[in-house]
Amino acid sequence: MDGQLPIDTRPWPVRRDAALHDQTMQQTIGVVTKRLANAKVTAYAAYPEANHWRQRAVEVKRQSIRQLEEHLATFTQQVESHGGKVHRATTAADAIQTILEVAQHHQVRSVIKTKSMVTEELELNRALENAGIAVRETDLGEYIIQLAHEKPSHILAPALHKNREQIHALFDQDALVYHTEPPASEDIVALTQYARRRLREEFLAADMGVTGGNFLVAETGTVVLITNEGNADMVTTLPRLLVSVVGVEKIVADWSGLIDVIQQPALSGVGQRLSSYTTLVSGTRGPDQWEGPDEWHVVLLDNGRTQLKDTPFEDVLSCIRCGACLNVCPVFRQVGGHAYGSVYPGPIGIVETPLLTNFEVLPELPSALCTLCHACGEACPMNIDLPGHIVQLRQMKQERHMNAIGVTRSYRWWARFWATPHGYRRSMRWARWGQWWFVRHGRIQSAPGLAGGWFKTRDMPPVASMTFHEWWDRTRGKRQ
Ligand code: SF4
């Protein structure tokens, strides 16, 4: 496979335990994801046409992916006719090399960035810093996690796991380093004002801007950025040199298609009709224009994406990174994004990580981090069959003999036993008899062998003292 994603090398039990013991993170993520999921439901209820808009967006994205190469060729031709330069990057390493060459050619010392999951995928900040170039994230959430030396925990809201006290402490520390006035309080307005003041200096001093891209419009060669802070306007207009790094799957054919898809990330992600700012970059600064870059490079990243075309997983390429599947996922709400070990967490990360890289990477993703509750499938505005894909990935793991032999044998034995009513009833009788060694305060709290792991963080009610059939026979007389 061509793809490569940065992977957390800590073993799964270490990541899991770190997440389960971080109560502040759990509380913050629980509250915010529920708020976002509710906001989406409220927004859909407020606009009777919302489902129709969503369906049109699905059709546009599916159609765009089917004609991907054709649209990319049009996009390239349009960008280059408006003074830009398009680079196709097959791998993450190709993209990094291109961006470094551009930066070094112009002797860039400092970069300002918009939020971009693709640049997280490339670990671009690290590559630039290793080359002696200072990088500053300008999206508020990204700025916070940059100060904390962490990775995003959510694809739409990167600092979702941080509360106000933690953010205040980070800004206080930053103020010490930069000898500037710290935020006046832990109040959200005070924190935002601090970030705004600090970032303004960096906007004005930067040599190069780097953006991602929410959509690409082929017919005019436009990179479309949506933000709620307006920072993309500053990044694309202040520095004289601009690089946009975008996944190839972001393409749509034309403006009518863009109008159908553009509201979906905000509507489904945070319940807003549209994001506060839409920034369009369609070329370099013309002779009669006073803002915009003198030089514009667009890096179109593949990194394993096009190999999903014409496979049962092709719909994954329609993802608009709205985060709705993360917001409703009961596992994500418990463990947060870092436990997944991939730059893409949550249900979409479970599916995308092995598909873009390989199956040996983070093998626990489709099993340990999914309960198959199907909430993500219902929440996804792009109709991506996330639960179906997760089942398929589990099957593929089984076919590749990636499950521990003890686990495989136990499930096989269990499936055989429960395949007959007789086996099922007998197992219930055994469970009723054997469970009392493990019941404390009216709940089963431990179990021997493999099942013991399950009870480390949970309990369950004991098996009832009689089955429904036994109860019926006793109270209503023997069934015929
Ligand atoms: S998979 Fe669907 S719900 Fe999840 S981020 Fe992508 S578009 Fe949004």
Side-chain angles (χ1 to χ4, degrees), residues 155 318-326 348 376 379-382 384 386:
I155 54 181
S318 302
C319 177
I320 50 166
R321 309 278 183 239
C322 69
C325 57
L326 282 68
I348 184 63
C376 54
C380 177
M382 291 291 112
I384 299 172
L386 294 164

Side-chain angles (χ1 to χ4, degrees), residues 12 15 329 331-332 335 339-340 350 364-371:
W12 159 235
R15 300 195 317 270
C329 175
V331 179
F332 181 86
V335 299
Y340 289 77
I350 291 178
E364 64 278 1
L365 284 180
S367 38
L369 285 143
C370 177
T371 62

Side-chain angles (χ1 to χ4, degrees), residues 7-19 338-342 360-365 368-369:
I7 297 299
D8 187 339
T9 50
R10 290 176 303 159
W12 159 235
V14 175
R15 300 195 317 270
R16 176 199 62 201
D17 291 348
H338 295 153
Y340 289 77
S342 166
E360 278 69 43
V361 160
L362 303 171
E364 64 278 1
L365 284 180
L369 285 143

Side-chain angles (χ1 to χ4, degrees), residues 19-316:
L20 291 176
H21 292 122
D22 188 345
Q23 289 189 355
T24 311
M25 178 276 289
Q26 285 184 346
Q27 258 171 9
T28 313
I29 290 220
V31 170
V32 184
T33 49
K34 275 182 204 151
R35 195 185 302 145
L36 293 175
N38 290 341
K40 179 194 167 200
V41 172
T42 311
Y44 269 73
Y47 303 114
E49 319 87 335
N51 251 317
H52 172 65
W53 298 335
R54 191 186 61 75
Q55 198 50 45
R56 283 218 319 247
V58 174
E59 282 156 24
V60 166
K61 283 296 289 177
R62 297 289 199 275
Q63 184 60 28
S64 305
I65 298 297
R66 274 195 287 275
Q67 295 175 303
L68 187 68
E69 279 308 325
E70 198 182 301
H71 295 324
L72 290 174
T74 311
F75 175 83
T76 303
Q77 189 257 319
Q78 283 299 319
V79 168
E80 301 201 333
S81 69
H82 292 104
K85 170 97 184 93
V86 175
H87 309 259
R88 290 288 295 263
T90 308
T91 62
D94 295 342
I96 292 283
Q97 192 187 340
T98 304
I99 300 163
L100 285 179
E101 276 171 12
V102 170
Q104 280 159 349
H105 177 74
H106 289 274
Q107 295 169 341
V108 167
R109 307 305 323 151
S110 61
V111 164
I112 46 170
K113 273 188 73 236
T114 63
K115 175 185 172 324
S116 152
M117 286 309 295
V118 162
T119 58
E120 294 291 341
E121 183 178 328
L122 302 177
E123 290 195 295
L124 180 61
N125 290 11
R126 200 169 65 164
L128 288 168
E129 282 162 3
N130 287 346
I133 299 168
V135 185
R136 178 56 73 205
E137 295 287 352
T138 64
D139 168 87
L140 182 59
E142 287 283 351
Y143 177 53
I144 292 166
I145 59 162
Q146 187 184 26
L147 295 182
H149 305 289
E150 288 179 14
K151 302 262 184 209
S153 62
H154 187 285
I155 54 181
L156 194 70
L160 186 86
H161 57 295
K162 294 258 178 250
N163 64 18
R164 269 194 283 167
E165 292 75 32
Q166 290 170 320
I167 296 168
H168 183 252
L170 286 168
F171 286 1
D172 250 357
Q173 224 173 2
D174 183 67
L176 271 179
V177 174
Y178 285 91
H179 307 288
T180 184
E181 192 77 11
S185 69
E186 285 172 3
D187 177 68
I188 290 174
V189 175
L191 294 174
T192 314
Q193 275 171 349
Y194 175 81
R196 185 189 163 111
R197 175 161 48 85
R198 273 281 295 116
L199 289 175
R200 194 125 310 205
E201 300 156 16
E202 311 247 6
F203 279 124
L204 294 170
D207 301 320
M208 180 168 103
V210 173
T211 75
N214 295 89
F215 300 102
L216 303 170
V217 184
E219 75 171 342
T220 50
T222 304
V223 173
V224 182
L225 297 147
I226 52 180
T227 68
N228 273 330
E229 297 159 26
N231 57 318
D233 282 5
M234 313 274 265
V235 172
T236 55
T237 52
L238 289 173
R240 298 282 75 132
L241 175 62
L242 179 64
V243 177
S244 302
V245 200
V246 194
V248 288
E249 81 285 8
K250 301 287 182 183
I251 199 91
V252 293
D254 49 31
W255 283 82
S256 114
L258 179 74
I259 286 164
D260 286 332
V261 293
I262 197 166
Q263 71 181 158
Q264 283 306 321
L267 189 66
S268 299
V270 295
Q272 257 174 254
R273 172 85 196 256
L274 200 60
S275 295
S276 307
Y277 295 86
T278 301
T279 306
L280 310 170
V281 188
S282 296
T284 51
R285 187 163 58 114
D288 51 349
Q289 293 169 327
W290 58 274
E291 62 178 28
D294 291 334
E295 193 171 317
W296 181 38
H297 295 262
V298 183
V299 180
L300 296 177
L301 179 72
D302 189 323
N303 205 25
R305 287 161 170 80
T306 50
Q307 71 198 358
L308 301 183
K309 269 205 80 201
D310 307 318
T311 73
F313 297 104
E314 186 176 289
D315 61 356
V316 170

